[in-house]
Amino acid sequence: DVKVTQSSRYLVKRTGEKVFLECVQDMDHENMFWYRQDPGLGLRLIYFSYDVKMKEKGDIPEGYSVSREKKERFSLILESASTNQTSMYLCASSLSQVPGVGTEAFFGQGTRLTVV
Amino acid sequence: DAKTTQPPSMDCAEGRAANLPCNHSTISGNEYVYWYRQIHSQGPQYIIHGLKNNETNEMASLIITEDRKSSTLILPHATLRDTAVYYCIKVINNFNKFYFGSGTKLNVKP
């Protein structure tokens, strides 16, 4: 089975801190994604990466950056955490870039981040 | 518009079929329809996807209308563990970014 592992299940950080959320997948997937999930807003795409060192902005990249130095690892960085970044963060990966072929995304369990 | 339209909630009796509708009237010819579900406090789980033909796997069946403007996910024998939020998604481009809407909260009742 594909496994997508997020480093923390729960995290509490202070306003202004630099926060790193780590995600690792073990199936050699090409694509990796970061979403945040908020009540009433569903899942919103922050960033995605289709290859090592490659990244593309999603719907809400402001206040975030990402790093993909190795294929299996995709990090989300909050440069200076703010209270409005309190949310559930979900990482996902998928195998292929060909529509409909190996494109289903596998999600991690999520990191619930609270910024105080 | 990247989003699809789903009813906010539905009820289903345990052991009966659950039929979850989705409207994707703006879908284009090469866009697939994907279904995911999210059980409380877990990450979304892939269920099934299709382009224009009906599809079936061990979890569910997907019925897509001939004009591709809507689809229905069928859970043939719903159980209490199928209680979840079900998302219908259309994939936008070759990088397969998934844009999630609000989904349908399915309540399976004993």
Side-chain angles (χ1 to χ4, degrees):
Chain A
D1 277 354
V2 174
K3 193 160 186 185
V4 179
T5 304
Q6 295 183 229
S7 53
S8 303
R9 193 87 166 94
Y10 299 94
L11 212 51
V12 180
K13 295 291 181 180
R14 295 194 180 280
T15 302
E17 274 193 81
K18 190 169 186 176
V19 181
F20 293 85
L21 301 183
E22 306 287 347
C23 175
V24 177
Q25 50 95 1
D26 65 0
M27 285 300 291
D28 202 34
H29 280 181
E30 300 290 334
N31 308 317
M32 296 189 76
F33 310 83
W34 274 106
Y35 291 85
R36 65 176 282 178
Q37 185 172 27
D38 302 287
L41 296 176
L43 281 82
R44 292 179 291 167
L45 181 64
I46 306 172
Y47 267 98
F48 76 103
S49 168
Y50 53 90
D51 201 352
V52 175
K53 296 191 187 294
M54 305 301 287
K55 61 185 179 184
E56 293 283 343
K57 293 179 180 179
D59 281 342
I60 50 164
E62 296 79 20
Y64 303 95
S65 62
V66 290
S67 172
R68 194 165 180 203
E69 296 296 319
K70 294 185 178 181
K71 193 174 186 180
E72 67 270 19
R73 187 179 297 270
F74 192 36
S75 303
L76 180 69
I77 304 155
L78 287 67
E79 296 290 341
S80 177
S82 63
T83 54
N84 63 12
Q85 292 178 310
T86 291
S87 186
M88 169 71 87
Y89 289 87
L90 289 155
C91 174
S93 72
S94 68
L95 174 64
S96 167
Q97 296 167 17
V98 177
V101 179
T103 52
E104 56 267 32
F106 296 86
F107 283 80
Q109 289 293 83
T111 296
R112 186 164 294 281
L113 172 68
T114 302
V115 182
V116 297
Chain B
D1 184 4
K3 299 289 174 59
T4 58
T5 304
Q6 299 176 255
S9 65
M10 293 181 64
D11 291 337
C12 178
E14 189 177 19
R16 306 298 294 266
N19 297 285
L20 293 98
C22 177
N23 180 288
H24 33 79
S25 57
T26 60
I27 198 167
S28 61
N30 61 352
E31 288 180 332
Y32 284 71
V33 177
Y34 283 71
W35 283 84
Y36 282 77
R37 73 180 183 184
Q38 188 173 23
I39 296 169
H40 183 62
S41 298
Q42 297 182 21
Q45 176 191 22
Y46 166 79
I47 302 173
I48 199 167
H49 72 279
L51 183 62
K52 49 184 158 183
N53 296 324
N54 297 338
E55 302 287 344
T56 296
N57 63 20
E58 64 278 3
M59 289 183 70
S61 294
L62 175 61
I63 308 298
I64 302 175
T65 57
E66 195 167 338
D67 63 8
R68 300 188 68 236
K69 293 185 177 182
S70 65
S71 61
T72 301
L73 179 75
I74 301 172
L75 307 178
H77 306 287
T79 70
L80 298 178
R81 288 181 296 178
D82 292 322
T83 291
V85 178
Y86 287 77
Y87 295 98
C88 166
I89 303 153
K90 56 176 185 172
V91 176
I92 302 304
N93 62 26
N94 285 347
F95 292 119
N96 301 306
K97 295 183 290 184
F98 292 86
Y99 288 89
F100 287 75
S102 299
T104 296
K105 177 71 165 58
L106 177 67
N107 298 300
V108 181
K109 300 186 174 181

